[in-house]
């Protein structure tokens, strides 16, 4: 019988996301999970305190929320792996002491609009009202973009 | 997305049901000026239809609502 590595996989995912977000923010990340067994247990990761969480440099902020589940691989080793079921990653900019949304990546198939998409908040109404399809976007790539394109600097960034 | 298991110090705060409910309520208040309970009632009544994704702040709150 394959070893049950479900708890380790869940802990590793939480830690991996936490380490990723540390590259751009010191805000505390929280985890909320329901149920005991890994199968059917959907976990939620979200910043605990600030909304949005300020990023290094204070000009930009990030609302981050991700729901994921731990599933057993149906082929071969049957070990457990993470499946991200949805996310909201919203980038805001500080303007006149207010947080203004710049863009947000959404994936919420359990709610309306079932495909992963991007919202842009600057531009023509045709664009700012659109749900621009993206394919699933990882928080790792969003963080990479924040560092590359938004100038977020961190002394923790190993790259 | 697959994650490999390895030993790493825990840097994520595990939330209780009460803590998560409070966070949901705070988010609803700050985004939409309503309590979490009020948001759930309005969501179920179709108040944010036909395009809740087009209303600023709604989907952040709705997404957290899924975990209640």
């Amino acid at each position: 019988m394959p070893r049950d590595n479900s708890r380790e996989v869940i802990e590793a995912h939480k830690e991996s996301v936490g380490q990723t977000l540390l590259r751009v923010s010191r805000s505390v990340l929280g985890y909320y999970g329901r149920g005991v067994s890994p199968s059917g247990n959907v976990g939620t990761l979200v910043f605990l305190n600030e909304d949005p969480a300020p990023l290094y440099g204070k000009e930009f902020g990030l609302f981050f929320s991700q729901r994921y589940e731990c599933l057993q691989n149906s082929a071969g080793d049957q070990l457990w792996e993470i499946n991200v079921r949805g996310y909201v990653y919203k980038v805001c900019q500080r303007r006149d002491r207010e947080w203004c949304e710049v863009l947000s990546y959404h994936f919420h198939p359990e709610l309306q609009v079932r495909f992963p998409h991007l919202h842009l908040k600057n531009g023509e109404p045709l664009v700012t009202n659109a749900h621009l399809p993206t394919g699933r976007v990882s928080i790792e790539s969003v963080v990479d973009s924040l560092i590359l394109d938004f100038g977020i600097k961190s002394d923790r960034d190993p790259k | 997305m697959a994650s490999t298991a390895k030993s790493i110090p825990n840097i994520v705060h595990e939330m209780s049901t009460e803590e998560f409910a409070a966070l949901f309520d705070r988010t609803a208040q700050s985004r939409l000026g309503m309590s979490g309970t009020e948001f759930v009632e309005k969501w179920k009544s179709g108040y944010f239809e036909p395009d809740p994704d087009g209303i600023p702040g709604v989907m952040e709150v709705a997404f957290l609502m899924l975990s209640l």
Side-chain angles (χ1 to χ4, degrees), chain A residues 116-133:
Chain A
H117 57 276
L118 169 69
H119 292 280
L120 293 173
K121 291 305 176 186
N122 292 306
E124 297 290 325
L126 195 60
V127 172
T128 58
N129 292 332
H131 303 78
L132 305 168

Side-chain angles (χ1 to χ4, degrees), chain A residues 24-64:
Chain A
V24 291
S25 176
R26 287 197 183 87
S27 289
V28 178
L29 189 64
Y31 162 78
Y32 176 63
R34 304 184 73 178
V36 175
S37 67
S39 179
N41 179 14
V42 180
T44 301
L45 290 168
V46 60
F47 281 124
L48 274 186
N49 298 322
E50 298 103 331
D51 181 24
L55 306 183
Y56 299 130
K58 306 292 185 186
E59 180 185 358
F60 292 100
L62 176 69
F63 175 89
F64 165 83

Side-chain angles (χ1 to χ4, degrees), chain A residues 102-120:
Chain A
V102 176
L103 56 85
S104 58
Y105 297 94
H106 284 190
F107 178 41
H108 39 71
E110 294 149 306
L111 301 170
Q112 290 198 344
V113 187
R114 298 181 185 278
F115 55 89
H117 57 276
L118 169 69
H119 292 280
L120 293 173

Side-chain angles (χ1 to χ4, degrees), chain A:
Chain A
M1 180 178 293
R3 184 176 67 86
D4 182 358
N5 70 331
S6 56
R7 294 304 304 171
E8 293 165 340
V9 168
I10 290 172
E11 292 305 311
H13 179 71
K14 288 154 58 179
E15 197 63 30
S16 175
V17 172
Q19 292 286 355
T20 294
L21 290 169
L22 266 180
R23 295 175 61 207
V24 291
S25 176
R26 287 197 183 87
S27 289
V28 178
L29 189 64
Y31 162 78
Y32 176 63
R34 304 184 73 178
V36 175
S37 67
S39 179
N41 179 14
V42 180
T44 301
L45 290 168
V46 60
F47 281 124
L48 274 186
N49 298 322
E50 298 103 331
D51 181 24
L55 306 183
Y56 299 130
K58 306 292 185 186
E59 180 185 358
F60 292 100
L62 176 69
F63 175 89
F64 165 83
S65 186
Q66 183 192 88
R67 282 165 49 84
Y68 64 89
E69 60 188 348
C70 195
L71 299 174
Q72 197 167 17
N73 189 337
S74 59
D77 55 22
Q78 294 191 321
L79 291 176
W80 295 86
E81 59 186 29
I82 295 294
N83 173 53
V84 174
R85 286 182 57 148
Y87 54 76
V88 174
Y89 311 143
K90 185 167 92 170
V91 180
C92 302
Q93 185 176 28
R94 183 71 91 163
R95 296 173 195 161
D96 297 328
R97 301 180 187 177
E98 300 262 334
W99 285 112
C100 301
E101 182 177 342
V102 176
L103 56 85
S104 58
Y105 297 94
H106 284 190
F107 178 41
H108 39 71
E110 294 149 306
L111 301 170
Q112 290 198 344
V113 187
R114 298 181 185 278
F115 55 89
H117 57 276
L118 169 69
H119 292 280
L120 293 173
K121 291 305 176 186
N122 292 306
E124 297 290 325
L126 195 60
V127 172
T128 58
N129 292 332
H131 303 78
L132 305 168
T134 59
R136 294 199 192 192
V137 174
S138 69
I139 186 58
E140 290 80 6
S141 57
V142 172
V143 166
D144 282 343
S145 174
L146 286 170
I147 292 171
L148 177 67
D149 301 314
F150 290 75
I152 309 300
K153 298 186 189 301
S154 166
D155 56 9
R156 289 175 173 269
D157 188 7
K159 298 185 179 180

